[in-house]
Amino acid sequence: GAGVSQTPSNKVTEKGKYVELRCDPISGHTALYWYRQSLGQGPEFLIYFQGTGAADDSGLPNDRFFAVRPEGSVSTLKIQRTERGDSAVYLCASSLSGLSTDTQYFGPGTRLTVL
Amino acid sequence: DAKTTQPNSMESNEEEPVHLPCNHSTISGTDYIHWYRQLPSQGPEYVIHGLTSNVNNRMASLAIAEDRKSSTLILHRATLRDAAVYYCILPNAGGTSYGKLTFGQGTILTVHP
């Protein structure tokens, strides 16, 4: 079956621009997570959705970052006024119900480069 | 929050067993131990998880110490495709009931032909 997909795979933008990153989770998975991975580091949690609602957004670094999941499936991570420090790989994962014992299935990531 | 400690790197030869250790001395009784790995230029993938008993699946085995303060991921016959960063994670450790994964630095496994 189809796994988690993310688009675009690569995004190059200029400082100050707005970007949107898309995640298509596995069909039927109610839980969706966004993580960010800087070079040489492990992924860092950004936000967790259960259905349409953001149950935990404690990992979003500041108010330039926002994410939505309006119909409980596809999610979009939005970054306003991008900065060079936002350059990273943004990973999306989904799991069946969000329980901590659930397996999380990760997408291939979107590599964001801010020039 | 319970934390995990892993060696920065390990090396193995192809077709030999690999034992990847993880220390989690502050683990609580309800914390599950999960292992994920990340192959180059890919997202992480689930490997195995357990609570108290040793666990086996088609990818690996997980040996959990009796006091649960450490665990070992065992790859029975390493292949070149097993070269990856391996992460030992306690998803419950932040006090959440959902899978908020906290990745550390992980162990970089190099497999030599």
Side-chain angles (χ1 to χ4, degrees), chain A residues 33 37 41 56 98 100 104, chain B residues 36 38 92 97-100 105:
Chain A
Y33 304 82
Q37 186 170 26
Q41 305 296 316
D56 182 349
S100 58
Q104 289 190 28
Chain B
Y36 282 77
Q38 188 171 22
N92 309 66
S97 60
Y98 48 90
K100 183 176 179 178
Q105 294 285 84

Side-chain angles (χ1 to χ4, degrees), chain B:
Chain B
D1 294 356
K3 294 184 179 178
T4 62
T5 304
Q6 300 176 251
N8 289 334
S9 63
M10 292 187 67
E11 298 187 17
S12 173
N13 293 318
E14 205 173 5
E15 299 193 3
E16 290 186 354
V18 181
H19 290 233
L20 298 166
C22 180
N23 287 322
H24 28 78
S25 58
T26 58
I27 193 170
S28 74
T30 57
D31 287 340
Y32 278 80
I33 303 157
H34 286 232
W35 284 80
Y36 282 77
R37 72 179 185 181
Q38 188 171 22
L39 280 63
S41 300
Q42 295 188 27
E45 66 173 345
Y46 168 83
V47 178
I48 199 167
H49 78 277
L51 182 62
T52 56
S53 303
N54 294 344
V55 185
N56 300 293
N57 66 23
R58 64 177 180 80
M59 288 181 71
S61 296
L62 177 60
I64 301 172
E66 195 169 336
D67 63 6
R68 302 207 331 119
K69 293 184 184 301
S70 65
S71 60
T72 302
L73 179 70
I74 302 166
L75 306 180
H76 295 285
R77 291 182 65 214
T79 70
L80 296 178
R81 292 177 56 202
D82 291 322
V85 181
Y86 287 78
Y87 296 99
C88 170
I89 300 169
L90 309 181
N92 309 66
T96 64
S97 60
Y98 48 90
K100 183 176 179 178
L101 302 182
T102 300
F103 291 81
Q105 294 285 84
T107 297
I108 300 171
L109 176 65
T110 301
V111 180
H112 299 288

Side-chain angles (χ1 to χ4, degrees), chain A residues 49-101:
Chain A
F49 284 91
Q50 180 53 247
T52 60
D56 182 349
D57 65 358
S58 62
L60 295 178
N62 51 59
D63 61 6
R64 295 186 297 105
F65 289 74
F66 189 71
V68 295
R69 194 185 185 202
E71 298 178 358
S73 55
V74 170
S75 176
T76 305
L77 179 65
K78 308 180 180 193
I79 311 174
Q80 299 178 322
R81 305 183 303 280
T82 52
E83 300 177 357
R84 292 193 179 90
D86 299 335
S87 296
V89 175
Y90 289 81
L91 294 160
C92 175
S94 71
S95 71
L96 186 61
S97 61
L99 293 175
S100 58
T101 51

Side-chain angles (χ1 to χ4, degrees), chain A residues 7-21 36-39 64-65 77 79 81-91 109-115:
Chain A
T7 54
S9 55
N10 280 285
K11 177 71 177 178
V12 180
T13 191
E14 294 179 341
K15 180 173 176 290
K17 299 290 187 183
Y18 168 82
V19 297
E20 289 189 353
L21 312 179
R36 178 169 74 170
Q37 186 170 26
S38 300
L39 193 62
R64 295 186 297 105
F65 289 74
L77 179 65
I79 311 174
R81 305 183 303 280
T82 52
E83 300 177 357
R84 292 193 179 90
D86 299 335
S87 296
V89 175
Y90 289 81
L91 294 160
T110 293
R111 181 175 298 279
L112 175 66
T113 303
V114 182
L115 301 177

